[in-house]
Amino acid sequence: SQTIHQWPATLVQPVGSPLSLECTVEGTSNPNLYWYRQAAGRGLQLLFYSVGIGQISSEVPQNLSASRPQDRQFILSSKKLLLSDSGFYLCAVNRDGNTEAFFGQGTRLTVV
Amino acid sequence: AQSVTQLDSQVPVFEEAPVELRCNYSSSVSVYLFWYVQYPNQGLQLLLKYLSGSTLVKGINGFEAEFNKSQTSFHLRKPSVHISDTAEYFCAVKSGGSYIPTFGRGTSLIVHP
């Protein structure tokens, strides 16, 4: 079965600083990868998804970007964080032909 | 396009009482349906899923859900809740032709002693 690693678990960053969150997957190959954000009291917002190396689709315009340099690595970045970037970021994975998505443990980002 | 509506943002209930968390979906094609649970500061964990076959689906922790195609619903139920069931619950739908599951906004289940 697959394992999803997300780090760091928590992060406090000043406004205007850069961001890099990493997600790696074990136990599967050619996964579909997703970044979701969960703001306080709100549901899950899909930010990016990727169906292959170097293939990134953005669901909402924003201050963030994503990259997939390797098959099982998905990175969420920002050059300059905004206060509104605070939230709980979740990486998820599923496979073509499979159904449910599996989630990492998340990163709590607080921009101060 | 697919969408999910969770009708209740918060459901308070006493321990050992039954509970139902409501979920309605819309999709123009056949769907797969899911319920996830999220404990504080953790990722989402799959509770149960409907793919095909029997419309009554049993999951972990004593939860079950019933797929009702005519009402486009997939409500989650548990006959007797515990304090430990306090968590956020998300309903999700994935159409057969889509990579991406769509999530509802979540329902916070609060179990009181």
Side-chain angles (χ1 to χ4, degrees):
Chain A
S1 64
Q2 57 219 325
T3 304
I4 304 164
H5 300 282
Q6 268 191 259
W7 66 92
T10 60
L11 189 60
V12 180
Q13 291 284 99
V15 169
S17 64
L19 172 75
S20 180
L21 301 182
E22 189 161 344
C23 171
T24 59
V25 180
E26 294 178 357
T28 187
S29 58
N30 303 315
N32 300 323
L33 297 171
Y34 308 86
W35 278 112
Y36 286 89
R37 177 169 59 201
Q38 187 177 20
R42 300 183 62 181
L44 291 167
Q45 179 186 32
L46 179 64
L47 302 176
F48 301 95
Y49 70 94
S50 172
V51 300
I53 296 174
Q55 300 179 57
I56 307 294
S57 296
S58 174
E59 288 294 297
V60 292
Q62 59 207 314
N63 184 43
L64 301 168
S65 62
S67 62
R68 186 170 176 174
Q70 299 180 45
D71 181 47
R72 289 171 287 180
Q73 184 185 29
F74 203 25
I75 298 172
L76 183 68
S77 304
S78 174
K79 292 181 180 179
K80 289 186 177 182
L81 283 168
L82 306 172
L83 287 173
S84 58
D85 292 324
S86 293
F88 192 51
Y89 289 83
L90 290 159
C91 178
V93 59
N94 68 2
R95 291 284 312 278
D96 288 350
N98 282 5
T99 54
E100 68 267 31
F102 295 91
F103 286 81
Q105 289 300 294
T107 295
R108 173 75 58 192
L109 172 65
T110 303
V111 182
V112 296
Chain B
Q2 57 193 27
S3 66
V4 177
T5 301
Q6 289 185 245
L7 298 166
D8 306 298
S9 60
Q10 203 172 80
V11 173
V13 64
F14 287 106
E15 192 173 20
E16 298 183 6
V19 71
E20 178 179 84
L21 306 184
R22 296 181 292 170
C23 172
N24 287 87
Y25 69 92
S26 67
S27 175
S28 58
V29 296
S30 61
V31 295
Y32 304 127
L33 294 157
F34 312 89
W35 276 100
Y36 287 83
V37 60
Q38 184 184 34
Y39 299 103
N41 292 312
Q42 294 188 26
L44 276 68
Q45 178 184 3
L46 183 69
L47 268 179
L48 49 78
K49 60 184 177 182
Y50 171 79
L51 306 180
S52 64
S54 173
T55 57
L56 183 62
V57 181
K58 294 189 182 296
I60 63 172
N61 301 342
F63 284 93
E64 63 181 32
E66 186 158 17
F67 170 57
N68 188 319
K69 188 174 182 179
S70 62
Q71 297 187 7
T72 60
S73 68
F74 191 55
H75 300 332
L76 181 70
R77 303 186 182 100
K78 186 169 182 178
S80 175
V81 295
H82 302 291
I83 296 288
S84 60
D85 291 323
T86 295
E88 193 82 12
Y89 291 80
F90 290 92
C91 181
V93 62
K94 180 179 177 295
S95 300
S98 171
Y99 292 113
I100 307 164
T102 298
F103 287 83
R105 294 179 65 85
T107 296
S108 178
L109 175 63
I110 302 170
V111 181
H112 298 288

